[in-house]
Amino acid sequence: MHRGWGGGYAACAMGLAVDDGADGADGVLRWIPAPALHVRDGAVVAANGAAERFAPAERDRIAATIDGVTTEPLLVRLGDRPPHRFAEVEAGPHPDGGLVVVIGDVTERERLDAVIAEFATGVYITDASLEATWIPRRTSESVGLPRDRFVGHDVYDLVHPGDRAVTRKVVAHAREMPGVRTSLPMRVRQFDQPDVWWPIVAHLIWRGDDPAIGGLLVRFDIDVTGGAHERRAEETAQALVTLGPTSATGALHLGLDGRLLQRSTRVREILRPVGEDADQRWLDLLRPEDRAKVTERVEAARTGALLPPVEVAFVEGDTAVWTRLDVMPYRGTEGRVAGMFVNVLDLTSDREAREELALAREELWHLANHDALTGLANRYQLADRLAAAVDEPDGQSAVIVADLDRFKDVNDGHGHRIGDEVLAEAARRIAAAVRPEDLVCRFGGDEFVVLCEHIGVPEELDAVCCQLVDRFAEPFEVDGLTFEVGVSLGTAVAEPGDEADPERLILRADRAMYAAKDAARSAG
């Protein structure tokens, strides 16, 4: 079902020409499923439809960066100010001269690389069988795990044979509890030092449903006690005392009765923001809600048990230091528990970075899914919502295509700045006329699309259209100028089979809108 609402003359939106032809040299772009450009002499000649997700300035930057055929992917930073986007591009010869440039958006990968690796000793991602799938560049460089050798490698090969059985159990436990961190001490080796076993503490979180991770997130820290649970108490205490201030983790050495015996230089630095003697008053400075968690771990350590690490905060006034804290028992020469170490890793900067990253991701999502001029949803967001709407069997969905009348006269006669003001005001009027749950999209130029889900047909849909027409009855006023700008509407209701090609719904509404325009012009 589709119908039109009459108006006046339609303006044509202008933008980058996208190659659609199957014939001719540039037809090769049409068959590339990824964003692709035809570049000649550092300039964009043509782009396929998938490349529209990159702004014209970004495409120009990519074209200017490509100097010839690339044998390795080239990383290009887009934008002059944070938050930056990143593209990975490859180039090959074009049949008509110049280059075919294929673009991949790797913004999220580079952001994860920079942020995660910055605030942890080591991070990598594996699948359920512990085959490595990704390691940040900085982690790879700092811990000596070459990307090309590590990714695709069975991580169990690097785990000490004596620790593999418990590692398999911990991995299985992590998969059973998605999003919950599970930790264990273990011994691992590096590729180039096969006979040297390094003590680490590994923290595993199953994030199989996370689109950026899609597997097991593993973070590991060097065990600052050097495998203290397997060493003599005297050696362990000496190792703690000599631990340097550059270590990522600080440690408190407690007796079996919980009395503070020694502390590392690093733990003093971590806790100093909440007091010069904070390392001595550490229990008193814990948030009240965190003390029970720490006490539970201290009591468990007295019996030789090791509970998972916990995130806690030390607070003094308005200052807080966030840490990851775990309590590890160690044994004396007779094999009995002789004391414990409270390992403290500073997470304050990590939390701030995560908050900044969350804000940046939210901003990136908004930029990627909204029109910069009007703030309305863009075509990408509309495509996602439309596909879900037509696929819902019990919901009646419809779209309204709205095209401004006489907008070309405004734009041509008074310039783009005035035209942009009129477009922004038109967007506000459309958003105010529809239902709160409806999605309003700027589809291109002066054309807008409204997605109405769960709407009554025809009564409720007609009511929304009437409100839209009424909103454009009032003239537009910009910089003391008055403009009569109307709107032409076309509607279409979802039909069986639209789920195979949701854009057919928009096409039917678009045809109805143009039929309405023609009828209005014929009526004079």
Side-chain angles (χ1 to χ4, degrees):
M1 171 181 141
H2 52 276
R3 292 177 299 136
W5 294 66
Y9 180 72
C12 295
M14 299 188 65
L16 174 70
V18 177
D19 172 52
D20 290 322
D23 300 323
D26 277 352
V28 298
L29 299 185
R30 179 173 177 235
W31 304 108
I32 299 176
L37 308 174
H38 179 191
V39 174
R40 185 186 294 121
D41 297 327
V44 176
V45 178
N48 65 5
E52 286 188 331
R53 73 183 66 170
F54 294 91
E58 295 175 340
R59 294 192 290 262
D60 290 341
R61 179 177 291 231
I62 291 170
T65 303
I66 296 297
D67 193 27
V69 174
T70 57
T71 56
E72 295 291 337
L74 177 67
L75 187 67
V76 179
R77 189 175 75 175
L78 306 176
D80 297 317
R81 295 183 302 172
H84 297 292
R85 295 179 64 204
F86 294 88
E88 196 171 73
V89 298
E90 296 180 81
H94 193 284
D96 195 38
L99 301 169
V100 174
V101 179
V102 180
I103 312 169
D105 191 334
V106 293
T107 300
E108 195 66 15
R109 186 195 74 186
E110 292 300 309
R111 198 175 303 283
L112 282 171
D113 193 332
V115 176
I116 294 180
E118 189 71 26
F119 298 104
T121 305
V123 172
Y124 58 86
I125 296 171
T126 79
D127 60 16
S129 63
L130 234 65
E131 179 179 301
T133 58
W134 179 74
I135 185 170
R137 182 177 62 256
R138 298 188 191 187
T139 299
S140 171
E141 295 170 350
S142 64
V143 302
L145 290 174
R147 270 182 167 179
D148 56 346
R149 295 173 62 187
F150 183 64
V151 173
H153 194 86
D154 185 348
V155 180
Y156 282 117
D157 290 343
L158 304 178
V159 177
H160 191 282
D163 295 334
R164 288 175 188 168
V166 67
T167 301
R168 294 184 191 278
K169 292 181 180 179
V170 171
V171 171
H173 178 69
R175 289 202 64 193
E176 293 171 358
M177 303 182 67
V180 177
R181 181 173 56 196
T182 304
S183 305
L184 78 159
M186 64 170 65
R187 293 157 291 176
V188 297
R189 65 178 175 85
Q190 292 179 295
F191 289 112
D192 299 326
Q193 296 177 302
D195 298 323
V196 178
W197 295 100
W198 296 88
I200 67 168
V201 179
H203 313 282
L204 305 96
I205 305 177
W206 179 253
R207 298 282 190 182
D209 294 331
D210 188 305
I213 297 175
L216 188 70
L217 177 64
V218 181
R219 192 188 82 211
F220 61 92
D221 303 307
I222 302 300
D223 185 347
V224 296
T225 65
H229 49 293
E230 298 180 2
R231 299 174 56 186
R232 298 172 65 244
E234 298 85 3
E235 294 172 343
T236 301
Q238 183 61 32
L240 175 68
V241 172
T242 57
L243 192 64
T246 58
S247 171
T249 305
L252 300 164
H253 180 197
L254 307 183
L256 197 57
D257 59 359
R259 181 170 52 92
L260 178 63
L261 301 178
Q262 295 168 304
R263 63 258 191 210
S264 70
T265 302
R266 179 58 181 148
V267 81
R268 299 178 189 177
E269 296 297 324
I270 292 172
L271 298 180
R272 180 164 288 137
V274 291
E276 288 294 328
D277 59 346
D279 55 318
Q280 301 178 52
R281 298 187 297 119
W282 69 281
L283 273 174
D284 295 333
L285 293 174
L286 282 167
R287 294 187 309 169
E289 58 266 39
D290 290 335
R291 288 174 190 163
K293 304 173 190 175
V294 176
T295 300
E296 179 186 13
R297 281 154 178 77
V298 170
E299 294 299 323
R302 286 196 177 102
T303 68
L306 177 63
L307 295 183
V310 63
E311 190 170 304
V312 301
F314 298 89
V315 179
E316 182 71 30
D318 296 331
T319 303
V321 173
W322 287 90
T323 68
R324 193 205 73 226
L325 181 148
D326 61 309
V327 184
M328 299 181 62
Y330 67 87
R331 300 180 185 276
T333 54
E334 299 179 356
R336 298 175 183 174
V337 177
M340 63 198 79
F341 291 94
V342 179
N343 295 328
V344 182
L345 177 66
D346 190 1
L347 298 181
T348 304
S349 297
D350 188 15
R351 286 176 64 92
E352 293 173 352
R354 278 184 286 171
E355 292 172 359
E356 291 176 2
L357 178 59
L359 290 173
R361 290 180 66 177
E362 183 178 345
E363 183 177 349
L364 283 171
W365 182 90
H366 189 275
L367 290 173
N369 289 274
H370 291 79
D371 174 61
L373 174 63
T374 64
L376 298 177
N378 63 13
R379 297 173 69 158
Y380 303 114
Q381 187 178 171
L382 173 65
D384 289 341
R385 283 278 297 273
L386 182 61
V390 299
D391 198 42
E392 188 175 349
D394 299 328
Q396 179 70 73
S397 298
V399 297
I400 304 170
V401 172
D403 192 85
L404 302 188
D405 301 326
R406 297 177 295 278
F407 175 74
K408 187 176 187 304
D409 297 338
V410 176
N411 213 36
D412 292 350
H414 299 277
H416 292 296
R417 187 184 68 81
I418 297 296
D420 286 349
E421 291 285 347
V422 171
L423 282 173
E425 174 60 20
R428 287 189 287 268
R429 295 189 185 192
I430 293 172
V434 301
R435 304 175 306 166
E437 63 269 29
D438 294 336
L439 179 72
V440 183
C441 163
R442 184 187 176 198
F443 201 67
D446 61 338
E447 188 171 79
F448 300 82
V449 173
V450 181
L451 172 60
C452 306
E453 300 175 76
H454 302 283
I455 189 166
V457 177
E459 293 82 2
E460 192 174 7
L461 181 59
D462 285 352
V464 172
C465 290
C466 287
Q467 291 185 70
L468 277 167
V469 173
D470 289 344
R471 290 279 179 173
F472 283 80
E474 292 293 326
F476 287 63
E477 295 185 3
V478 179
D479 287 358
L481 302 172
T482 301
F483 306 105
E484 298 287 341
V485 177
V487 64
S488 294
L489 306 179
T491 67
V493 178
E495 300 173 351
D498 283 341
E499 63 274 7
D501 185 8
E503 290 194 4
R504 294 194 314 187
L505 187 59
I506 298 176
L507 182 60
R508 293 200 303 272
D510 194 59
R511 289 171 177 167
M513 182 273 295
Y514 277 108
K517 274 188 180 290
D518 291 341
R521 281 199 296 266
S522 298

